[in-house]
Amino acid sequence: MKPIQQTLTHSYGKFPEKVIQMGEGNFLRAFADWMIDLSNEQGLFNGSILLCQPIAANAEMCEKFAAQDGAYTLIMRGIDEDGHPAEKVRPITSVSRCINVYEDFEEFIKAAHNPHLKVCISNTTEAGIAYKEGDKLTDTPPASFPAKMALFLYERFKAFNGASDKGLLFLPVELIDYNGTQLRKIILRYAQEWALPQEFLSWVENHNFFTNTLVDRIVTGYPRAEVQELEEKLGYQDGLMVTSELFNLWVIEGKKEWAELLPIDKTAAHVIWTDDVRPYKMRKVRILNGGHTSSVLAAYLAGHDIVLEMVNDPLFARYLDRLLADEIIPTLDLPEEELKAFAQAVKSRFANPYIKHRLLDISLNSCSKFTARCLPSLTEYYKRKEALPPLLCFSLAALIKFYQGEMKDGKYMGRRFDGTEYEIRDDKAVLDFFAQAWKETDMGVLAKEVLNSAVLWPVPPAGQVPGLVEKTAFYLEKMQHASVQDVVAELVK
């Protein structure tokens, strides 16, 4: 069987390197690199990507890219607009090559001298955009990602004598708030520590564009269990194949004219340029993440094991519909039709038959997740309507019920209604708290203790929402005597 590069009938990747990408992992290859490939296909960008391994990893990935001339296959799967399972296969040819910054430092520096370069995309994990004491300009390379980029930009500044058109558009996708703002701040901190010229600091501030971004796509990675079948179907070998869902969203906070540097918003990709990314982040956290957290614990207690099972159950499908439409969307300020469309997309994503997302995996650290994802909807609902949202209150009670367990062989174990045991995973302090709290048999006392706990909540919710303790105790009492299915059925009848 031939390798992928010998079977391609097109190649959009033989363009000047206009993008330096710090991170060669599955997510960016199934997200940003796919979008750039679409842009090249339409003749909008005509640029290729230089991938850089930003950590001292092995050279295996770069060797694979070299062997395949940078080409790989993206397989996107999910529910299409007509509500049917769909699979879309696309060879991606936007990558020119891959280098390891630690093994090919000279090539990294040479890229700073490239006059065609316009964009820097990065995904160096949540910890990547952080200051590291001791990084120096003379390091080859410095350890931290921001220090690497400070060095890179200084090389570029010198190479082009501070030309105003040789700055870069930065599109970081690391999962931290204000990722672009933070990256810019740390780059400037290194520049000051290294006593670099004031003209360079001014060039970074005025001629490089740092965006804050929000990204959303589930990338399931290399399809190891299916690769032989897929290669036979495709008719070629591909050691870099990557799979993802169909849904994609990139929200970029920055000046609209910056979009011309990378016109991916003019393709079929879902890219939004905005002057404020926060409403979109809130929408994602409360509808997508909040929809998960406020439904999966009850669904697991009811006997479901994966998200797909949950949404295929008519009872929990109604529960999720009501939860999103009646209690979460009314707490958000984006246009209602836009929120409803996003909620519908979320439900389609939950129903993706190609992804087996285990409810127990989602349950990890549920207390902190509920604090970030669900409690703001609950408190905002009460603020706006002066009433308690019943489904969100029930989801809080289901969380407490999920954490009912006992220590066994060093693990905190819970038990479903059918007798199945499961491990509850969270910080030790949280587990210790619940192990002690669940010795209480009075649900009113238990609810009061849980909702006033400083161990579980940065700001205990009992003091934020009048009547929440009593409502939570009401649902806990119900689940002591009836199945979760029966309680949910009563809620959504």
Side-chain angles (χ1 to χ4, degrees), residues 162-184:
S164 61
D165 64 342
K166 290 299 184 285
L168 300 179
L169 170 67
F170 283 85
L171 295 165
V173 307
E174 288 84 355
L175 299 178
I176 62 170
D177 289 339
Y178 306 106
N179 42 23
T181 300
Q182 290 300 315
L183 177 60
R184 174 179 173 272

Side-chain angles (χ1 to χ4, degrees), residues 73 268 319:
T73 310
Y319 173 86

Side-chain angles (χ1 to χ4, degrees), residues 378-379 382-383 386-389 393 451 460-472:
L378 195 159
T379 54
Y382 184 85
K383 178 181 176 182
E386 296 186 350
L388 290 167
C393 291
L451 298 186
Q464 299 182 65
V465 186
L468 181 59
V469 169
E470 293 76 12
K471 194 71 168 178
T472 304

